[in-house]
Amino acid sequence: MSVPSASKDRKIRARDVLARCDLLARFSEDTMGLRRTFLSPPMHNCHAEIAAWLKPLGIESKVDAVGNIRAFYPGIRPDSPRLLIGSHLDTVPEAGKYDGILGVVLAIALLEEMEGRRFPFAIEIVGFSEEEGVRFGVPFIGSRALVGRADDELLDLRDWNGISIREAIRQFGLDDRKISEAKLAGDTLGYLEFHIEQGPVLEKLNRPLAAVEAIVGQTRLALHFLGKANHAGTTPMGARHDALAGASEWMTFVESHANQIAGLAATVGSIEAKPGAANVIPGEVRITLDVRHKSDEVRSRAVRELAGRGAEIVNRRGLSLQWSTLLEQSAVPMDDLMTREIEAAIRNSGCEPHRMTSGAGHDAMILSERVPSAMMFLRSPGGISHDPAETVLLEDVEAAIEAGIQLLNRLADSKEFLGRTQRA
Ligand SMILES: [Zn+2]
């Protein structure tokens, strides 16, 4: 299949994409910064804009019962299977303009580039209503509805104003009894997500685009070091049970150990020492540990080794240590075939592809429970995200559009891709 002649110069198309991200950033709950949480009033404006962009393409959009905007671009035949392309439209507080939003706007730009040309698959665009977990403390509400996991327990969660997800859905003008209709269609071949990297890797390599091979697994632990508080002046150094000194010895081990294992990220992100006075030896320390890796085995082994060293340190120092698990999330590999096609498409578009893992969770992680899922990352200048300074380069957007078109062409030519049926 040949590349269609572009209706617009790619640079102009890329500029339009950025201008649309700017426009959507105006729809905010805060006057000073961008904040657009799940089913907040500005989400209505977002949906209206997107619907208006799709209309000239002859595409009607609808909003499903959990607030995801969905738009269907038919394939060659009425019974062509479908490919989902999407990302999320909600944001964190003090957000940038591109996290999530860029993926939705890029998907629309790809349809515009098609100029009505049809593929052996239909394309369904999804703008997820919720990914960041800001309003209800749990992420992925939008994508969970697609995989059939928007259950009663989820819908009964309440926000800080005591409003449940179910009530929020009704207040937005939607019908919570129709949530099951938001489920993925049975003819879905796969899910594709464009997203900014949100880290410094591509910038460091001087490459615009990457294929994501996996979303890392994560262990989050709470640790409690117990020693003995005592007078900082009268207790000789050899007679102390300093919980903070023990915790810090362990923390430096965490960092040096993680440095020795390729791809491992281990972080002590919070610390609280008690009683917390300049003249008292700390008797009690609470810290958290976050460990991530694309391999569950490597991550579990690292956690075991860190635990082993922790036990050795507290024994030697006459302390005790308690652990509790806050989160245990397995790594999610992306679909191998689609990831290879993304790499090839990036190469076809004239860029050197990079293959990497995502250290952050994404909707693709949830969709992959049901359908083959894959992601393409765009370089994040300065590695900055979840901040108003978050940005993306015009030439990288141009490269992503080109690679996106190449990818659709490649998938359209792939018997292996078209021959697959949805996982149960
Ligand atoms: Zn995101």
Side-chain angles (χ1 to χ4, degrees):
M1 213 170 269
S2 63
V3 181
S5 64
S7 58
K8 265 190 183 181
D9 178 64
R10 291 276 148 72
K11 194 167 245 84
I12 297 173
R13 180 80 70 205
R15 239 180 234 130
D16 284 353
V17 166
L18 294 181
R20 283 174 171 178
C21 293
D22 285 344
L23 181 64
L24 294 185
R26 300 212 306 247
F27 305 133
S28 171
E29 291 163 78
D30 294 342
T31 44
M32 295 304 285
L34 172 57
R35 171 200 176 93
R36 190 171 54 238
T37 56
F38 179 61
L39 299 184
S40 57
M43 198 62 93
H44 280 297
N45 306 79
C46 232
H47 290 163
E49 276 301 325
I50 291 171
W53 298 334
L54 290 165
K55 206 146 203 170
L57 303 173
I59 301 170
E60 290 295 330
S61 55
K62 63 179 174 59
V63 177
D64 69 23
V66 79
N68 302 315
I69 188 163
R70 320 269 290 256
F72 187 78
Y73 178 81
I76 290 170
R77 295 190 320 269
D79 63 344
S80 294
R82 75 182 75 192
L83 170 67
L84 249 67
I85 312 180
S87 195
H88 60 98
L89 294 169
D90 68 318
T91 76
V92 294
E94 289 291 310
K97 301 170 187 169
Y98 306 100
D99 174 2
I101 288 92
L102 178 70
V104 181
V105 174
L106 264 175
I108 297 168
L110 287 180
L111 290 193
E112 288 172 335
E113 284 287 320
M114 292 310 125
E115 296 186 286
R117 175 170 160 252
R118 305 289 179 201
F119 288 93
F121 43 80
I123 295 173
E124 182 178 352
I125 291 184
V126 193
F128 289 110
S129 55
E130 211 287 337
E131 190 266 355
E132 299 284 8
V134 175
R135 182 167 174 186
F136 288 94
V138 295
F140 309 117
I141 298 171
S143 45
R144 280 177 64 157
L146 265 72
V147 298
R149 281 211 287 124
D151 50 23
D152 286 344
E153 194 189 337
L154 180 76
L155 298 175
D156 289 337
L157 286 176
R158 291 180 184 274
D159 68 5
W160 51 84
N161 291 319
I163 297 168
S164 69
I165 293 183
R166 214 184 283 282
E167 286 157 1
I169 286 171
R170 289 180 203 153
Q171 284 174 5
F172 197 77
L174 299 167
D175 186 349
D176 60 296
R177 291 165 304 179
K178 292 187 174 164
I179 279 182
S180 62
E181 293 171 22
K183 276 188 205 163
L184 278 171
D187 61 357
T188 309
L189 286 173
Y191 171 73
L192 171 66
E193 182 167 359
F194 295 84
H195 203 283
I196 53 168
E197 181 205 329
Q198 304 182 278
V201 173
L202 287 173
E203 182 169 74
K204 225 171 176 177
L205 292 168
N206 197 25
R207 291 185 195 181
L209 303 171
V212 178
E213 62 181 0
I215 295 171
V216 298
Q218 199 183 137
T219 301
R220 206 173 292 170
L221 302 167
L223 289 90
H224 190 187
F225 287 80
L226 268 170
K228 204 168 185 336
N230 210 334
H231 198 290
T234 60
T235 317
M237 294 307 288
R240 299 178 175 214
H241 301 287
D242 185 332
L244 183 53
S248 5
E249 183 186 343
W250 184 75
M251 283 157 61
T252 41
F253 176 73
V254 169
E255 190 192 30
S256 63
H257 189 65
N259 270 323
Q260 285 163 19
I261 300 169
L264 189 79
T267 309
V268 174
S270 74
I271 183 162
E272 187 193 4
K274 278 185 178 168
N279 58 352
V280 184
I281 299 162
E284 202 179 327
V285 171
R286 289 176 192 275
I287 58 179
T288 56
L289 174 71
D290 178 303
V291 183
R292 303 183 191 210
H293 198 273
K294 67 175 176 179
S295 154
D296 291 336
E297 197 196 321
V298 172
R299 176 172 48 89
S300 306
R301 198 186 318 129
V303 171
R304 277 200 304 278
E305 278 161 358
L306 295 176
R309 179 59 70 98
E312 186 267 306
I313 290 169
V314 296
N315 282 340
R316 173 162 38 80
R317 289 173 171 267
L319 310 170
S320 68
L321 174 57
Q322 291 163 0
W323 302 66
S324 60
T325 304
L326 302 174
L327 176 74
E328 189 75 53
Q329 160 86 52
S330 299
V332 178
M334 294 289 95
D335 179 61
D336 186 51
L337 168 63
M338 288 174 76
T339 304
R340 278 186 279 118
E341 292 294 353
I342 288 174
E343 274 184 305
I346 294 172
R347 194 170 285 118
N348 287 356
S349 73
C351 303
E352 190 53 42
H354 180 58
R355 191 176 251 260
M356 65 184 292
T357 56
S358 171
H362 292 287
D363 291 302
M365 197 168 98
I366 305 299
L367 269 292
S368 76
E369 292 171 20
R370 290 285 309 281
V371 287
S373 299
M375 294 188 77
M376 192 191 291
F377 272 172
L378 287 81
R379 161 168 55 190
S380 285
I384 299 167
S385 182
H386 285 187
D387 186 277
E390 172 184 286
T391 182
V392 67
L393 299 175
L394 176 69
E395 62 259 39
D396 293 358
V397 173
E398 210 182 322
I401 294 170
E402 181 60 42
I405 292 164
Q406 297 284 344
L407 177 62
L408 293 178
N409 286 327
R410 294 187 63 91
L411 294 177
D413 285 343
S414 167
K415 286 199 175 66
E416 197 184 343
F417 178 70
L418 297 172
R420 295 201 297 196
T421 45
Q422 191 181 345
R423 274 183 251 146

